[in-house]
Amino acid sequence: MLSSNPGPIGIFDSGYGGLTILHGIRQLLPEYDYLYLGDNARAPYGPRSFDVVYEFTRQAVVKLFEMGCHLVILGCNTASAKALRTIQQNDLPQIDPERRVLGVIRPTAEIIGSLTTSRHVGVLATEGTIKSESYDLEIRKLSPDIQVSGVACPFWVPLVEYNEADSPGADYFVKKRIDEIMRKDPAIDTIILGCTHYPLLMPKILKYLPAGVRVVPQGEYVAESLKNYLERHPNMEQHCSKHASVHYLTTENPQKFQEQAQIFLHEPVEVENITLG
């Protein structure tokens, strides 16, 4: 039986990238409690099939509900692309129609129309997110005149997780993908970083992007969207506890998570190991 008492806002990611989403949300909404769950033992999700990503994401959402969350944010682009709609439509009515799961793709799609002048937008993301065409579909729904081009960046996540984002070796891989997307559509004036790891490569990305091309990291837009959502849904807002706390859960080694979290958050964290599935 799920608790009806107020609880933390859940943030789920396959790994560490969702920490950039959590950071953005905490900057804007520091008063709430947060519960971050990283399925680090089974990351990365990017190359996995739709069915596997859906099942893993569903397990994580159920776990966060069991731990008191009424609202869960999928701070993972791959999970948002491959699992969100099925969970919203098929699972929530059975689990608890009053609980909600939100993703990171729609908030970015909603803002992009006001950011691009040329109406040509690029998406840099994992293979899974690019293949799902989720950004193309969401942006087309809201702004049919925008042309979207996507490029997968398979080596960018390991660069971040192995703390190589500032290394000279990262330059080759970042420049290669930037050049590829600008060749694909030279009219692009706005690029979405469709993976939550990528903001940590921002200095390199800005170094190789043509002048005048804007970069859109997701954290601040997801945070603004969440703030707006809570204002529009006072009943859900009342189910979110407010003690300004954050707790971290991982399916991997807690010590490894602590070391990686330092890269993303620049602060020490306490983390607990859990099992999913």
Side-chain angles (χ1 to χ4, degrees):
M1 185 72 179
L2 298 175
S3 169
S4 60
N5 295 329
I9 296 171
I11 313 278
F12 169 66
D13 186 45
S14 57
Y16 304 102
L19 293 169
T20 61
I21 298 295
L22 173 63
H23 177 72
I25 291 172
R26 284 178 72 201
Q27 294 284 102
L28 189 65
L29 302 165
E31 69 272 26
Y32 292 93
D33 297 322
Y34 298 97
L35 185 58
Y36 182 92
L37 168 54
D39 188 13
N40 308 88
R42 301 188 293 195
Y45 280 15
R48 294 186 182 274
S49 71
F50 271 75
D51 289 346
V52 169
V53 171
Y54 158 68
E55 182 53 34
F56 287 179
T57 305
R58 190 190 63 78
Q59 290 170 4
V61 166
V62 168
K63 175 64 79 173
L64 287 166
F65 285 165
E66 288 171 350
M67 299 185 80
C69 300
H70 292 260
L71 174 63
V72 172
I73 313 293
L74 302 184
C76 172
N77 282 271
T78 304
S80 295
K82 294 184 174 182
L84 177 62
R85 187 154 291 148
T86 308
I87 288 172
Q88 286 174 333
Q89 293 176 353
N90 297 356
D91 294 300
L92 286 183
Q94 297 174 29
I95 298 169
D96 183 346
E98 299 302 312
R99 302 200 183 228
R100 291 290 178 268
V101 181
L102 306 174
V104 292
I105 292 174
R106 177 129 188 138
T108 316
E110 284 173 345
I111 199 75
I112 206 70
S114 65
L115 301 179
T116 173
T117 305
S118 71
R119 315 309 278 172
H120 290 253
V121 169
V123 179
L124 298 172
T126 63
E127 183 185 0
T129 299
I130 296 297
K131 280 188 173 173
S132 75
E133 297 188 342
S134 293
Y135 275 99
D136 313 47
L137 295 168
E138 287 295 336
I139 292 171
R140 211 173 296 137
K141 269 188 232 167
L142 300 161
S143 306
D145 62 316
I146 293 179
Q147 187 169 320
V148 181
S149 302
V151 165
C153 308
F155 292 103
W156 286 21
V157 168
L159 283 171
V160 171
E161 295 200 348
Y162 286 102
N163 209 8
E164 295 289 328
D166 296 327
S167 71
D171 286 71
Y172 169 80
F173 293 103
V174 172
K175 183 178 187 301
K176 182 177 181 180
R177 299 308 173 192
I178 297 284
D179 290 349
E180 184 180 344
I181 200 160
M182 295 312 298
R183 271 198 313 272
K184 205 167 184 181
D185 183 359
I188 286 171
D189 72 348
T190 307
I191 287 184
I192 296 168
L193 299 185
C195 173
T196 48
H197 282 69
Y198 295 177
L200 278 80
L201 288 162
M202 190 67 86
K204 304 278 190 202
I205 293 167
L206 294 174
K207 179 177 174 183
Y208 293 110
L209 265 182
V213 177
R214 180 176 195 153
V215 185
V216 181
Q218 294 175 301
E220 62 187 278
Y221 298 112
V222 173
E224 282 288 350
S225 180
L226 176 59
K227 181 173 184 278
N228 182 261
Y229 179 86
L230 292 172
E231 286 168 356
R232 288 184 291 110
H233 298 85
N235 191 44
M236 177 57 74
E237 199 277 336
Q238 288 162 17
H239 278 96
C240 299
S241 55
K242 303 178 190 70
H243 303 100
S245 72
V246 57
H247 292 95
Y248 299 90
L249 308 169
T250 178
T251 56
E252 243 277 13
N253 181 308
Q255 188 180 342
K256 184 181 177 190
F257 185 96
Q258 286 173 326
E259 291 166 3
Q260 289 288 331
Q262 290 269 31
I263 298 170
F264 288 85
L265 299 175
H266 308 293
E267 65 182 28
V269 303
E270 294 283 319
V271 62
E272 178 189 339
N273 177 260
I274 60 152
T275 304
L276 295 176

